[in-house]
Amino acid sequence: QSALTQPPSASGSPGQSVTISCTGTSSDIGGYNYVSWYQQHPGKAPKLMIHEVNKRPSGVPDRFSGSKSGNTASLTVSGLQAEDEADYYCNSYAGTNNLRVFGGGTKLTVL
Amino acid sequence: EVHLVESGGGLVQPGGSLSLSCAASGFTFSDHPMHWVRQAPGKGLEYVSAISSDGGNIYYANSVKGRFTISRDNSKNTLYLQMGSLRAEDMAVYYCARSWRHAYDHWGQGTLVTVSS
């Protein structure tokens, strides 16, 4: 399985917005509306932030939003806060052969 | 409250075997597919294996196919991962994760597997 492609880093100042992209293929992101995003702070387990492309689990601030166009999904963090500094990973369902595939991760820095 | 607690990690020599467990509580375990996801030191997340809620469907990443075996005991609310023919590249923190709407909505704290002679 090939990993989804994410930029290794992203940054923004407090209060700004930042968008992280995640590019796959028609066999994963483009083929299903099952993209999810995870936030991981150092030494901690990942936390689900977005599921099914653009749905937020309860408790996740509405500053976090997701979208998809073709084979590329995006996570936007608006009104950046210091606690948003973390690694972010995208994930997609990839069919019954490959099942799931992750992106390589993006380190978000709040300047 | 959902809790997932992994155990069984440790140091193993290349070519050796190790068995991981994940004890689940706070939800109806038999209702959910379960997955194993790993993270090598300083690296990203990697899907390893999945099992359907009743254990009837099992999936593996190509990187572990033929060497790892996933299973579950719904009467004990426990997920397992039997790992064999371990390689240096299998060294990672192994997380069990609950699958929900094709996402992972709950994760354990992880257990570290070290492969070294």
Side-chain angles (χ1 to χ4, degrees):
Chain A
Q1 300 92 328
S2 298
L4 306 176
T5 300
Q6 296 181 234
S9 64
S11 63
S13 299
Q16 288 187 331
S17 293
V18 65
T19 296
I20 299 170
S21 63
C22 173
T23 301
T25 69
S26 58
S27 296
D28 38 64
I29 291 177
Y32 310 94
N33 287 323
Y34 292 128
V35 178
S36 51
W37 289 90
Y38 303 86
Q39 177 191 67
Q40 187 180 35
H41 288 108
K44 301 294 187 181
K47 175 187 176 183
L48 177 65
M49 305 302 285
I50 295 288
H51 65 93
E52 295 171 277
V53 177
N54 56 14
K55 296 179 171 60
R56 272 179 291 104
S58 61
V60 173
D62 60 6
R63 302 185 294 102
F64 291 85
S65 62
S67 63
K68 188 187 90 165
S69 177
N71 297 336
T72 298
S74 298
L75 172 73
T76 298
V77 186
S78 305
L80 272 174
Q81 299 182 5
E83 59 262 34
D84 298 333
E85 186 163 294
D87 293 325
Y88 290 85
Y89 294 91
C90 60
N91 178 270
S92 176
Y93 178 71
T96 53
N97 283 333
N98 295 323
L99 208 64
R100 301 285 185 94
V101 61
F102 279 98
T106 298
K107 182 176 182 59
L108 174 60
T109 300
V110 181
L111 302 170
Chain B
E1 186 182 357
V2 173
H3 274 118
L4 299 170
V5 180
E6 301 94 339
S7 61
L11 175 64
V12 60
Q13 291 187 340
S17 300
L18 204 61
S19 182
L20 307 182
S21 299
C22 170
S25 61
F27 66 102
T28 304
F29 182 67
S30 58
D31 282 350
H32 289 268
M34 296 294 295
H35 290 223
W36 287 99
V37 176
R38 68 185 180 184
Q39 186 169 34
K43 302 296 185 183
L45 301 171
E46 180 189 14
Y47 154 75
V48 173
S49 183
I51 187 167
S52 60
S53 56
D54 65 357
N57 293 294
I58 285 173
Y59 309 88
Y60 298 100
N62 289 337
S63 57
V64 306
K65 203 171 292 184
R67 300 186 299 120
F68 289 12
T69 301
I70 191 173
S71 62
R72 65 190 296 161
D73 187 336
N74 285 345
S75 68
K76 295 182 178 180
N77 292 342
T78 303
L79 174 72
Y80 304 98
L81 186 69
Q82 179 67 40
M83 304 184 295
S85 302
L86 282 162
R87 307 166 180 167
E89 55 264 36
D90 295 319
M91 185 163 67
V93 173
Y94 283 73
Y95 295 101
C96 66
R98 190 177 83 166
S99 181
W100 171 78
R101 295 190 177 187
H102 293 284
Y104 302 117
D105 66 338
H106 290 278
W107 299 66
Q109 84 289 348
T111 187
L112 177 63
V113 173
T114 302
V115 183
S116 175
S117 54

